[in-house]
């Protein structure tokens, strides 16, 4: 197990290194000037000094890496002039995290609930209705949902504010109310995915022999379903819920833009459109770390959640 | 019955059977067959298998028979066909081009012949106008919905909520913009279909290339196994670790937005899923007897890979490719939405959606139509893929 973890972490570090190198190359190779065309000579000089822009490329690369591993990501150029990128990102994380956590809080229970209902009522009208909803929600992109929700519920009906309430620092009721639409827009896809998996897994579990055994031993249908089938179908579910977090972060990029939420997603978009390269790189680095960590957690959790899967050591089939 | 009795009974039965057998043997000895009793059944006939009475059903026909039963997939396939045809021909047969600007006809709502008589898509918009200037609108005012007073510094100003025909108002009475126009007066109908065309090109091209790379990579990795496989899988592991979003943003920043760079972005990590599937197929089939037989007869590796093992995977390949198209289209519109889209006059669905988002509350038609098309496209491709999967692999039916 330990050998396996070490192997995975090494692979992860190599990936991270490649990402960082790609970031560096992209920035330096990009047509145009990092400093910005209209910059005053003093600023230009300071920037060149700060980021060693006049050194030969390999030397620049070394300093870039050195700075990176001491968590010095440079300073924002245009979006938040002169503030360290690291602080800017730290500033934005809470809001994005709030949004995603709320979304997960609705997504997981609802997805599981619908999945269970669909599996228990397989091939009945309820199941068909849920299946139609699942296909719809999986297919329609989250930004279409966001636009539709914003138009109908915020603009036409006026039930919710068009944009996120930012007046209050803390988590007040008005802010929570204004978060309903973005959270909903983020959740539809996730609910559908979980429902689909839950339905397939639970249906398989319901038809398995141990269910027959538990019924034969005298458990009621309710007991055997709850204690054996549902429990067992949770195992594979864990493996899609963790990567979903990463997908949510990606999806929230667009949703944040639509609802004017100043989170990480909006920061990314702004940094790209303002050609604020250091900020872009740092944000991308942030996304990479989250994604790699979630993959690692999934891989390691296989063995913990389901003891039947042994990781590392011995031969593996396929 | 006691145990002793049981044993006695069994012994007795055995003895009887033995006697009967000996008797039969004795009978056979006395009863001899002469040569005339025997005839050759097929002395001069050729021996061959019976001919099939039915027409043989090929793999594809089999799949087609099953596919036909899935109504949703048939409808989806028809929708895809219609959208593809529209994407190819609608821009050609329209009077305007996708970049032609009529700045005087900015943001017109949709107007469609015949439908306009029914009150849908009639080019009208509800406006709030001061009553005193209502006359200047002339014929454009179709209907006054209500009158009310707006208070400005305590003084009541009579206002009118009226349905105004924008086409008459802007002097575009001779034009029919089916889906309306954007703020530069460009025809959304043409732009949308042209955008669909570009989105489809990006989706289909990237999927085809991904299939090719994935199949070759997966086949080599799965067929040779061992060290080759080890090395190739490590490469995949490292490459696959890079999040798509990060890779995409970097590449589009570097290469600049355009059809080619979008396709490239979708290729870089897009083939991994396909190659994994193909590799699993090869692991499954490479030790089958028929492969061994073919190898014994001297078939080369290339022949074994492409003629003998790969055709087993044709169903899953087609299915997976079908599912990959909507996700490619989604990625394209997603990136466009983030401002990394195709460059200006050229539209794509994502670019149109992003443009529409800015004026969602005033001219919803700019968002509505691209949203409908992209949703329909993704929905149909998913349903079509479901149908294909069920047709090629009946065992997976209904398991999602």
């Amino acid at each position: 197990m330990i050998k396996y973890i070490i192997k995975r972490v090494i692979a992860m570090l190599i990936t991270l290194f490649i990402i960082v190198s790609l970031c560096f190359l992209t920035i330096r190779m990009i047509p145009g000037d990092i400093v910005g065309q209209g910059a005053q000579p003093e600023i230009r000089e300071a920037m060149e000094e700060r980021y060693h822009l006049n050194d030969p490329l390999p030397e620049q690369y070394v300093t870039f890496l050195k700075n990176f591993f001491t968590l010095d990501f440079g300073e924002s150029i245009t979006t938040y002039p002169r503030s360290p990128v690291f602080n800017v990102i730290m500033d934005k994380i809470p809001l994005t995290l709030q949004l995603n956590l709320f979304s997960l809080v609705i997504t997981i229970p609802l997805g599981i609930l619908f999945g269970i209902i669909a599996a228990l009522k397989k091939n009945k009208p309820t199941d068909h209705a849920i299946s139609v909803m699942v296909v719809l929600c999986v297919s329609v992109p989250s930004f279409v949902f966001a636009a539709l929700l914003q138009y109908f519920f915020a603009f036409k009906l006026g039930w919710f504010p068009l944009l996120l309430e930012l007046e209050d620092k803390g988590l007040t009721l008005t802010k929570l109310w204004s978060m309903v639409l973005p959270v909903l827009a983020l959740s539809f896809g996730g609910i559908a995915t979980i429902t689909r998996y839950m339905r397939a897994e639970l249906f398989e579990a319901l038809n398995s022999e141990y269910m027959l055994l538990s019924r034969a031993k005298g458990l009621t249908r309710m007991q055997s379903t709850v204690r054996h089938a549902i429990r067992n179908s949770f195992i594979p579910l864990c493996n899609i819920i963790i990567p979903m977090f990463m997908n949510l972060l990606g999806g929230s990029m667009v949703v944040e833009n639509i609802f004017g939420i100043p989170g990480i997603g909006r920061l990314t978009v702004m940094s790209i459109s303002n050609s604020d390269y250091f900020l872009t790189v740092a944000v991308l680095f942030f996304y990479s770390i989250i994604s790699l960590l979630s993959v690692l957690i999934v891989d390691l959790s296989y063995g913990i959640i389901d003891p039947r899967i042994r990781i590392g050591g011995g031969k593996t089939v396929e | 019955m006691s145990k002793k009795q049981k044993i006695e009974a069994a012994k007795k039965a055995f003895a009887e059977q033995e006697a009967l057998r000996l008797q039969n043997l004795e009978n056979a000895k006395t009863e001899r067959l002469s040569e005339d009793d025997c005839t050759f059944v097929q002395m001069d006939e050729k021996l061959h298998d019976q001919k099939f009475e039915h027409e043989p059903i090929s793999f594809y026909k089999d799949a087609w028979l099953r596919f036909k039963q899935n109504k949703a997939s048939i409808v989806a396939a028809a929708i895809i066909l219609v959208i593809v045809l529209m994407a190819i021909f609608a821009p050609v047969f329209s009077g305007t081009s996708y970049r032609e600007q009529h700045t005087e006809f900015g943001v017109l709502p949709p107007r469609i012949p015949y439908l306009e008589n029914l009150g849908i898509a009639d080019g009208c918009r509800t406006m709030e106008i001061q009553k005193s200037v209502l006359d200047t609108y002339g014929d454009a005012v179709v209907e006054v919905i209500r009158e009310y007073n707006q208070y400005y510094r305590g003084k009541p100003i009579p206002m009118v909520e009226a349905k105004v025909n924008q086409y008459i108002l802007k002097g575009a009475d001779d034009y029919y913009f089916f889906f309306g126009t954007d703020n530069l007066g460009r025809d959304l109908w043409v732009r949308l279909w042209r955008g669909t065309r570009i989105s489809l090109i990006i989706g289909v091209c990237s999927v085809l290339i991904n299939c090719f790379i994935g199949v070759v990579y997966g086949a080599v990795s799965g067929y040779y196994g061992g060290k080759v496989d080890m090395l190739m899988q490590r490469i995949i592991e490292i490459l696959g670790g890079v999040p798509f979003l990060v890779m995409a943003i970097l590449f589009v920043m570097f290469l600049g937005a355009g059809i080619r760079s979008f396709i490239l972005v979708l290729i870089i990590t897009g083939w991994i899923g396909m190659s994994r599937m193909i590799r699993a197929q090869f692991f499954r089939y490479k030790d089958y007897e028929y492969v061994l037989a073919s190898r014994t007869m001297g078939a080369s590796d290339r022949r074994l890979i492409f003629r003998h093992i790969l055709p087993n995977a044709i169903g899953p390949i087609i299915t997976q490719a079908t599912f990959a198209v909507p996700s490619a289209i989604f990625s394209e519109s997603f990136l466009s939405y983030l401002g990394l889209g195709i460059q200006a006059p050229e539209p794509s669905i994502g670019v149109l959606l992003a443009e529409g988002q800015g004026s969602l509350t005033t001219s919803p038609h700019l968002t509505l139509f691209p949203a409908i098309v992209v949703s329909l496209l993704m929905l149909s491709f998913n349903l079509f893929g479901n149908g294909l999967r069920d047709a090629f692999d009946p065992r997976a039916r209904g398991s999602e």
Side-chain angles (χ1 to χ4, degrees):
Chain A
M1 186 72 181
I2 290 172
K3 201 176 148 198
Y4 179 76
I5 296 178
I6 293 173
K7 246 162 87 181
R8 295 300 323 219
V9 170
I10 290 175
M12 208 182 114
L13 287 180
I14 296 177
T15 313
L16 214 54
F17 177 74
I18 290 178
I19 295 173
V20 172
S21 310
L22 267 179
C23 286
F24 171 79
L25 275 178
T26 313
I27 288 194
R28 294 302 129 97
M29 300 293 205
I30 231 165
D33 196 349
I34 298 179
V35 184
Q37 302 263 283
Q40 286 157 355
E42 307 95 74
I43 296 177
R44 174 172 295 273
E45 216 162 275
M47 291 271 294
E48 279 166 357
E49 175 76 17
R50 169 86 166 75
Y51 300 111
H52 307 272
L53 294 180
N54 291 331
D55 294 357
L57 212 60
E59 256 174 64
Q60 276 190 41
Y61 183 50
V62 172
T63 35
F64 183 81
L65 282 183
K66 222 185 276 166
N67 284 341
F68 233 91
F69 286 111
T70 50
L71 292 183
D72 174 13
F73 297 112
E75 282 159 9
S76 169
I77 304 169
T78 41
T79 323
Y80 295 93
R82 312 241 31 197
S83 46
V85 167
F86 190 73
N87 297 358
V88 173
I89 292 183
M90 281 301 157
D91 244 24
K92 303 285 178 188
I93 286 179
L95 203 57
T96 304
L97 214 57
Q98 264 175 25
L99 204 66
N100 285 306
L101 284 182
F102 278 132
S103 163
L104 278 184
V105 166
I106 351 182
T107 307
I108 297 174
L110 275 185
I112 291 175
L113 185 70
F114 286 139
I116 291 175
I117 294 174
L120 291 180
K121 307 260 179 205
K122 181 140 178 154
N123 291 335
K124 292 198 180 131
T126 330
D127 176 36
H128 292 311
I130 290 180
S131 294
V132 169
M133 290 310 291
V134 163
V135 174
L136 257 176
C137 291
V138 165
S139 306
V140 177
S142 61
F143 44 82
V144 171
F145 271 130
L148 288 180
L149 285 175
Q150 197 181 31
Y151 185 70
F152 286 108
F153 289 102
F155 177 67
K156 279 273 162 171
L157 296 171
W159 293 353
F160 299 93
L162 269 174
L163 303 174
L164 189 76
E165 246 10 276
L166 291 169
E167 307 276 301
D168 320 302
K169 274 278 168 217
L171 200 62
T172 56
L173 211 59
T174 34
K175 191 175 171 191
L176 213 59
W177 188 245
S178 69
M179 272 169 104
V180 170
L181 289 185
V183 167
L184 273 184
L186 274 180
S187 306
F188 281 126
I191 293 177
T193 320
I194 293 186
T195 304
R196 182 193 263 196
Y197 270 85
M198 190 67 202
R199 173 174 174 271
E201 291 297 334
L202 185 57
F203 182 69
E204 210 181 308
L206 283 176
N207 281 345
S208 60
E209 309 230 304
Y210 63 78
M211 279 296 287
L212 207 62
L213 177 69
S214 69
R215 291 300 300 282
K217 277 162 65 184
L219 271 72
T220 60
R221 188 166 177 219
M222 178 78 181
Q223 280 173 322
S224 55
T225 310
V226 173
R227 290 207 197 141
H228 296 284
I230 292 184
R231 226 188 195 176
N232 270 310
S233 45
F234 275 153
I235 294 169
L237 208 60
C238 293
N239 302 321
I240 63 158
I241 287 178
I242 301 168
M244 249 178 69
F245 191 70
M246 181 61 205
N247 290 345
L248 273 180
L249 280 184
S252 76
M253 224 183 234
V254 169
V255 173
E256 278 179 19
N257 257 315
I258 292 176
F259 289 98
I261 302 165
I264 293 273
R266 196 161 164 73
L267 186 70
T268 317
V269 177
M270 272 162 64
S271 74
I272 294 169
S273 55
N274 292 349
S275 347
D276 198 344
Y277 296 123
F278 292 103
L279 197 55
T280 311
V281 167
V283 173
L284 293 185
F285 188 68
F286 167 79
Y287 275 118
S288 312
I289 286 186
I290 295 228
S291 131
L292 287 175
L293 276 181
S294 65
V295 171
L296 187 71
I297 293 171
V298 172
D299 282 358
L300 295 184
S301 64
Y302 272 122
I304 297 164
I305 299 167
D306 189 354
R308 283 171 299 182
I309 300 170
R310 304 275 286 295
I311 293 171
K315 283 172 221 156
T316 44
V317 185
E318 290 202 357
Chain B
M1 219 191 274
S2 77
K3 203 172 175 186
K4 215 170 181 179
Q5 275 172 321
K6 262 190 197 168
I7 295 171
E8 281 304 315
K11 270 186 182 170
K12 204 174 160 191
F14 181 71
E16 271 170 20
Q17 267 183 20
E18 195 59 17
L20 196 69
R21 197 175 64 85
L22 287 172
Q23 183 67 45
N24 283 344
L25 214 64
E26 207 57 37
N27 289 347
K29 272 181 189 166
T30 50
E31 191 186 325
R32 282 181 186 277
L33 290 172
S34 69
E35 216 167 280
D36 303 330
D37 290 334
C38 306
T39 50
F40 288 106
V41 182
Q42 288 155 315
M43 187 64 184
D44 299 315
E45 280 178 57
K46 251 192 185 164
L47 271 175
H48 45 62
D49 291 337
Q50 232 176 348
K51 252 201 175 148
F52 284 120
E53 285 175 8
H54 302 285
E55 210 181 311
I57 293 178
S58 71
F59 175 69
Y60 295 102
K61 196 167 176 196
D62 188 37
W64 168 241
L65 285 177
R66 271 194 296 269
F67 183 78
K68 262 199 314 198
Q69 288 165 1
N70 195 337
K71 296 279 180 301
S73 303
I74 296 279
V75 173
I79 293 176
I80 294 173
L81 194 69
V82 168
I83 291 181
V84 169
L85 288 179
M86 288 305 276
I88 296 172
F89 295 113
V92 179
F93 291 115
S94 295
T96 50
S97 88
Y98 70 97
R99 53 190 309 175
E100 195 176 318
Q101 299 179 4
H102 305 265
T103 31
E104 68 277 20
F105 301 156
V107 264
L108 288 173
R111 183 186 187 203
I112 303 170
Y114 305 114
L115 274 186
E116 65 176 339
N117 302 332
L118 301 172
I120 324 162
D122 52 0
C124 292
R125 185 181 293 148
T126 315
M127 293 173 88
E128 284 162 2
I129 312 163
Q130 278 192 27
K131 202 173 179 183
S132 49
V133 294
L134 189 63
D135 291 338
T136 56
Y137 284 81
D139 292 341
V141 179
V142 179
E143 187 191 352
V144 175
I145 298 171
R146 71 189 174 101
E147 291 180 26
Y148 63 102
N149 284 331
Q150 195 173 39
Y151 290 93
Y152 178 71
R153 291 190 182 171
K155 269 188 257 167
I157 299 168
M159 295 285 287
V160 164
E161 202 178 292
K163 210 171 156 189
V164 179
N165 189 325
Q166 302 290 317
Y167 281 73
I168 299 176
L169 186 67
K170 294 190 174 162
D173 206 16
D174 302 334
Y175 289 86
Y176 282 98
F177 295 113
F178 294 157
F179 286 174
T181 57
D182 65 5
N183 52 1
L184 293 174
R186 291 177 294 193
D187 189 354
L188 186 64
W189 168 264
V190 181
R191 278 177 72 72
L192 179 57
W193 291 121
R194 183 156 174 112
T196 312
R197 185 197 286 181
I198 285 164
S199 293
L200 277 173
I201 289 175
I202 291 174
V204 172
C205 281
S206 64
V207 166
L208 285 182
I209 300 172
N210 276 340
C211 273
F212 180 73
I213 300 177
V215 164
V216 173
Y217 197 96
V220 169
S221 175
Y223 181 80
Y224 292 105
K227 284 220 174 92
V228 179
D229 181 46
M230 232 289 282
L231 188 72
M232 290 175 95
Q233 289 312 302
R234 291 298 87 74
I235 294 175
I236 282 195
E237 218 165 84
I238 289 166
L239 205 61
V242 185
F244 169 76
L245 205 64
V246 173
M247 189 72 109
I249 289 175
L250 280 178
F251 265 79
V252 176
M253 269 170 70
F254 180 52
L255 295 168
I259 295 182
R260 224 176 302 158
S261 53
F262 267 123
I263 294 177
L264 200 68
V265 162
L266 289 170
I267 288 170
I268 290 167
T269 50
W271 53 270
I272 290 178
M274 181 65 83
S275 86
R276 284 206 176 118
M277 192 270 289
I278 296 287
R279 176 170 169 267
Q281 293 278 343
F282 269 80
F283 267 103
R284 202 163 121 203
Y285 286 107
K286 72 174 178 184
D287 293 330
Y288 269 44
E289 275 83 2
Y290 79 92
V291 178
L292 188 67
S294 181
R295 182 177 291 144
T296 328
M297 287 162 76
S300 64
D301 280 355
R302 203 187 342 167
R303 194 178 167 78
L304 283 175
I305 290 176
F306 290 107
R307 288 227 37 110
H308 293 297
I309 304 182
L310 194 60
N312 287 310
I314 200 84
I317 291 176
I318 295 175
T319 310
Q320 198 157 341
T322 314
F323 282 124
V325 174
S327 69
I329 291 174
F330 171 76
S331 304
E332 184 275 323
S333 37
F334 182 82
L335 289 174
S336 301
Y337 222 110
L338 296 184
L340 291 168
I342 306 267
Q343 245 123 34
E346 198 74 44
S348 80
I349 297 186
V351 171
L352 291 175
L353 274 171
E355 283 174 4
Q357 182 62 38
S359 51
L360 180 67
T361 50
T362 50
S363 43
H365 65 271
L366 288 179
T367 306
L368 184 66
F369 292 112
I372 288 177
V373 169
V374 76
S375 305
L376 259 185
L377 208 54
M378 291 190 54
L379 191 65
S380 328
F381 266 109
N382 277 334
L383 286 175
F384 184 58
N386 276 346
L388 281 182
R389 186 197 50 206
D390 292 347
F392 283 125
D393 185 7
R395 282 167 303 172
R397 177 184 294 255
S399 67
E400 285 286 340

